[in-house]
C-alpha cells in the first residue's frame, strides 16, 4: 500500500455511536439466526480496502491451515482511515460479537486499548509475536508496557531524488534546502516535495523532525514535552524554510503523498520524502500507473521531445535527511497492527488466527503483491522481497532507527492541533509556535477545546 491517510477524526460522544451501532448489531444477530448444522467458529477479520485481496488470501490460507478448527472471513472496511475507525468504533461500542480481528492503524493502539476495545496479548502469544519482529513496529503495538496488537505490516519514508540534479544526495535538511535553491537559480527542477497539507501527513513530518532533533511531543502518561529544549524550534524552522524558499513548490501547503509523487514523475521535483510506493509507481508505464516516462533534456528539464532520457532513468533513493548531521533521522513509521476484539466470543482462537495472519508467508505476499513492507526482520534478507523492493536495505535501516507517534489515547486530538498550527508551513514563526503548540497539545491531552 501507499501510506494510508491516517485518522484525524475528532472524538464523538459514545451515546450516538451506540445508537447507530445497535442497528448494525441487530441486523447481524438476525442474519445469524438461520437454521442449519453448526460449523466451525467464524472469525471476522476487518481490514482496510487497500490490499483487501491480499488480506483475504491470508485469511483463506490460515483457514486451510486451521484444519476445520475455525474459519477466517475477511471483511472490507471503507477506504479512508477516518471511516474505518468510525465503523469499528460504532461496532465495538455496541458490543458487536461479529468483530473478532481488526487491522488497526498504528495510531489507534493506545486509544483502543484504553477504551477496552482490544484484548492485551497473553504472555506466551506475545512472545511469539515479538520473536523476530522489528522493534520499531513493535513499539507501535505497545501501550503502558504491554503488547496490545500484532504488527502486520509497516511503512517508512525515504529520500527520493534525481541523481542527474544531485549526483550526491543531501545528508541533511540544510544541505537539501541549499541544493534546491541552487538548482532554482539555474532554472532547473528544484522542488522539495513533502506532505504539508492540513492533515496527518504534516503532523508526521513535524514528529519526524522533532524526534530527529532529540525532542518528543508527549510522554506515555500525557506529560507535554514539546517545549522541552530547542528541538521543536529546529523542526518548525526547517518546515518554514522549505515552504518559504523561492525554490518551493507553490502548491506545497496542500500537498499529500500522491501530489509529491506526481511532481517528481512530471520532472518538476528534485527531491521528495515519501513512502516506498513511489518507486513502484515511477516504474509503471502509463496508463496503468503514473510512470516516470516524462522526457528530460540535457540539463534535466522536462520536455515534450523524445530525448531518450526520462525521469525514471535518473530516479534514486537515499536515507531520510538528518536534522543533526551526526545522527540518523528517526522517521515516524506507519502500518497496520492486528487487534483482537473484546466483543468477539472466540478470544483464544482469535489470538491463534492473528499469529497465522501475520506469519512469514502472509507478510511476504502482502509485501510483494500489496506494496506494504513487512515487520519480520528475516524477510529483508529474502531474495523475492529484495527483487520487489530495490530500496530494501534503506527501508530496513530506516525502520531500525524509527520513531513512533505518541502512545497516548489523545493522539487523534493532538494530530488535529498540530495540523492546524503548522499549516500553511510558510507562515510558521519558529520563535512563537512552540509555546502555542505546548498549550494546545496540553488542551488536547486534557480533551479541552475539541468536539467531544
Amino acid at each position: 500500500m501507499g501510506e494510508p491517510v491516517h485518522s484525524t477524526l475528532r472524538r464523538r460522544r459514545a451515546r450516538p455511536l451506540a445508537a447507530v451501532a445497535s442497528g448494525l448489531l441487530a441486523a447481524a444477530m438476525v442474519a445469524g439466526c438461520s437454521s442449519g448444522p453448526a460449523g466451525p467458529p467464524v472469525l471476522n477479520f476487518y481490514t482496510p480496502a487497500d490490499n483487501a485481496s491480499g488480506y483475504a488470501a491470508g485469511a483463506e490460507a490460515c483457514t486451510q491451515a486451521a484444519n476445520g478448527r475455525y474459519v477466517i472471513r475477511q471483511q472490507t472496511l471503507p477506504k479512508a482511515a477516518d471511516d474505518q475507525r468510525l465503523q469499528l468504533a460504532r461496532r465495538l461500542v455496541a458490543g458487536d460479537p461479529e468483530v473478532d480481528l481488526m487491522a488497526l492503524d498504528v495510531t489507534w493502539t493506545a486509544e483502543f486499548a484504553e477504551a477496552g476495545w482490544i484484548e492485551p496479548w497473553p504472555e506466551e502469544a506475545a512472545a511469539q509475536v515479538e520473536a523476530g519482529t522489528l522493534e520499531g513496529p513493535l513499539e507501535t503495538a505497545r501501550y503502558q508496557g504491554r503488547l496490545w496488537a500484532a504488527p502486520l505490516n509497516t511503512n517508512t519514508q525515504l529520500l527520493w531524488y534525481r541523481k542527474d540534479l544531485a549526483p550526491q544526495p543531501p545528508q541533511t535538511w540544510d544541505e537539501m534546502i541549499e541544493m534546491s535553491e541552487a538548482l532554482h537559480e539555474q532554472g532547473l527542477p528544484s522542488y522539495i516535495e513533502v506532505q504539508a497539507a492540513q492533515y496527518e501527513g504534516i503532523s508526521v513530518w513535524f514528529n519526524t523532525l522533532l524526534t530527529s532533533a532529540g525532542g518528543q511531543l508527549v510522554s506515555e502518561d500525557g506529560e507535554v514535552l514539546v517545549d522541552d529544549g530547542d528541538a521543536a524550534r529546529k523542526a518548525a524552522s526547517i518546515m518554514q524554510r522549505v515552504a518559504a524558499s523561492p525554490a518551493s513548490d507553490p502548491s506545497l501547503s496542500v500537498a499529500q503523498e500522491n501530489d509529491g509523487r506526481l511532481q517528481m514523475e512530471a520532472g518538476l521535483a528534485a527531491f521528495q520524502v515519501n513512502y516506498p510506493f513511489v518507486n513502484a509507481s515511477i516504474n509503471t508505464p502509463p496508463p496503468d500507473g503514473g510512470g516516470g516516462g516524462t522526457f528530460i533534456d540535457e540539463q534535466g528539464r522536462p520536455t515534450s521531445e523524445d530525448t531518450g532520457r526520462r525521469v525514471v532513468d535518473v530516479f534514486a533513493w537515499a536515507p531520510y535527511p538528518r536534522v543533526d548531521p551526526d545522527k540518523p533521522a528517526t522517521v515516524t513509521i506507519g502500518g497496520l497492527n492486528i487487534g483482537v476484539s473484546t466483543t468477539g466470543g472466540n478470544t483464544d482462537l482469535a489470538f491463534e488466527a492473528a499469529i497465522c495472519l501475520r506469519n512469514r508467508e502472509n507478510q511476504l505476499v502482502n509485501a510483494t503483491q500489496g506494496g506494504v513492507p513487512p515487520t519480520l526482520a528475516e524477510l529483508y534478507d529474502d531474495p523475492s522481497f529484495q527483487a520487489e523492493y530495490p530500496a530494501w536495505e534503506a527501508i530496513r535501516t530506516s525502520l531500525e532507527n524509527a520513531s513512533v507517534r505518541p502512545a497516548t489515547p489523545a493522539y487523534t486530538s493532538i494530530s488535529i492541533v498540530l495540523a492546524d498550527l503548522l499549516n500553511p508551513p510558510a507562515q510558521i514563526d519558529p520563535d512563537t509556535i512552540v509555546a502555542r503548540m505546548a498549550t494546545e497539545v496540553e488542551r488536547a491531552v486534557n480533551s479541552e477545546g475539541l468536539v467531544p
Side-chain angles (χ1 to χ4, degrees), residues 398-424:
S398 182
L399 291 171
E400 289 171 347
N401 296 312
S403 64
V404 299
R405 295 164 177 84
T408 167
Y411 177 74
T412 297
S413 298
I414 291 171
S415 180
I416 294 170
V417 165
L418 292 179
D420 181 62
L421 287 173
L422 295 168
N423 180 272

Side-chain angles (χ1 to χ4, degrees), residues 247-261:
S248 173
D249 182 346
S251 63
L252 192 69
S253 64
V254 294
Q256 299 188 20
E257 290 87 351
N258 270 325
D259 301 301
R261 170 185 69 84

Side-chain angles (χ1 to χ4, degrees), residues 126-193:
Q128 289 182 260
V129 170
E130 291 166 347
T133 299
L134 294 167
E135 184 59 28
L138 270 177
E139 279 302 304
T140 70
R142 292 180 176 136
Y143 177 58
Q144 294 185 343
R146 297 197 69 174
L147 188 73
W148 290 87
L152 176 61
N153 56 56
T154 188
N155 224 339
T156 189
Q157 293 191 328
L158 302 176
L159 170 63
W160 308 88
Y161 70 101
R162 290 266 303 271
K163 59 186 178 183
D164 60 327
L165 302 174
Q168 294 297 322
Q171 291 193 357
T172 67
W173 281 92
D174 288 342
E175 288 180 13
M176 186 161 61
I177 294 169
E178 291 170 3
M179 292 170 72
S180 172
E181 292 178 345
L183 290 168
H184 176 71
E185 290 176 2
Q186 300 172 58
L188 298 175
S190 61
Y191 294 166
I192 298 172
E193 296 296 336

Side-chain angles (χ1 to χ4, degrees), residues 24-113:
L24 295 172
L25 181 57
M29 292 175 68
V30 169
C33 291
S34 58
S35 61
V42 174
L43 304 176
N44 290 296
F45 177 35
Y46 286 82
T47 76
D50 288 339
N51 192 41
S53 61
Y55 302 132
E60 176 62 27
C62 290
T63 295
Q64 293 180 9
N67 293 319
R69 296 179 57 248
Y70 55 79
V71 172
I72 305 175
R73 288 181 182 163
Q74 184 271 337
Q75 308 284 356
T76 301
L77 292 165
K79 191 172 183 65
D82 285 359
D83 297 331
Q84 295 166 24
R85 177 183 171 277
L86 181 57
Q87 184 178 130
L88 290 174
R90 284 172 169 170
R91 289 179 174 273
L92 294 166
V93 165
D96 189 345
E98 300 298 314
V99 180
D100 300 287
L101 296 156
M102 301 167 287
L104 303 175
D105 189 290
V106 295
T107 65
W108 303 341
T109 302
E111 180 188 8
F112 277 50

Side-chain angles (χ1 to χ4, degrees), residues 162 165 189 262-270 294 296 300-302 311:
R162 290 266 303 271
L165 302 174
L262 292 172
Q263 292 290 64
M264 177 69 81
E265 291 176 359
L268 301 174
T294 301
I296 51 177
R301 304 180 187 90
V311 172

